[in-house]
Amino acid sequence: MSIGPLEIILLIVIIALVFGARKLPELGKGLGQGIKEFKRETRHGEDRAAVTDVPSRQLDPATGAPLHTPAESVTERRG
């Protein structure tokens, strides 16, 4: 299932009808800046320390709030 040239042309026509021909350059510029920023963050994001030691907590199924067990110390809840 691939996109052929006819489907691409159809998508461009639909987008032009929805957003208007005058807005297409602005949409393209915003998309290009978003892709550039994403690439920059993924490339330079490796320099940052990865967060891997995050303690897991049980969540209350009804509210989604973390459950506090009596065995937890006060310092664990703060950190």
Side-chain angles (χ1 to χ4, degrees):
M1 186 171 175
S2 64
I3 297 178
L6 183 61
E7 288 87 5
I8 292 173
I9 292 170
L10 183 63
L11 285 173
I12 291 172
V13 169
I14 291 172
I15 290 171
L17 289 173
V18 171
F19 292 107
R22 293 184 183 189
K23 293 285 184 178
L24 287 180
E26 294 175 20
L27 290 172
K29 182 179 178 182
L31 182 64
Q33 286 176 346
I35 291 172
K36 185 191 303 184
E37 184 175 336
F38 177 76
K39 286 182 179 179
R40 182 172 36 95
E41 288 297 322
T42 55
R43 194 175 323 119
H44 296 327
E46 297 168 358
D47 298 338
R48 298 183 199 141
V51 179
T52 56
D53 296 331
V54 178
S56 62
R57 292 186 177 176
Q58 282 188 325
L59 299 177
D60 182 15
T63 63
L67 294 174
H68 298 290
T69 59
E72 277 186 341
S73 68
V74 174
T75 57
E76 287 178 358
R77 279 188 255 154
R78 289 184 188 159

